[in-house]
Amino acid sequence: PLSALHTYPPALSSGFLALIAGLPLRPGKPFTLGTAKRTTPAEVWGEPLFLRTNVIITAVWTAAFAVTAIALAIIAHAGDAHSTPATLLQVAGFVVPMMFTIRYVAAVQAKAGAGAR
């Protein structure tokens, strides 16, 4: 409780999530790949579009976590770490990339389906 970091756990956790999500992007193994493989036929796993889609989705999640971390750090620094806006920001930090993922995957699938016809 006496630590200078005591008011920053939400910001730190979002920052840590940004690191976890973002670091695998560099070697080309986005963190969404495991989940995507559970819901996608194995024959598309080697397709460049499949990897590119996961890289984009992971980049959006990474950016959302990073922006959330920065905003939460600003809120915490102002002394409102446990406020309603901070809570809403944390929720938005997950809901916004989740909605993007759902819509983006649907758009990619529709475009790929249209191209296959």
Side-chain angles (χ1 to χ4, degrees), residues 9-68:
L12 293 170
S13 63
S14 288
F16 185 70
L17 288 172
L19 285 174
I20 290 172
L23 287 177
L25 278 173
R26 192 159 186 212
K29 296 198 187 272
F31 89 104
T32 59
L33 222 70
T35 302
K37 285 182 176 181
R38 282 188 252 147
T39 59
T40 308
E43 56 267 12
V44 299
W45 294 356
E47 296 291 325
L49 180 60
F50 181 72
L51 181 60
R52 182 176 179 273
T53 299
N54 279 280
V55 166
I56 290 169
I57 291 169
T58 297
V60 168
W61 278 91
T62 301
F65 290 145
V67 168
T68 301

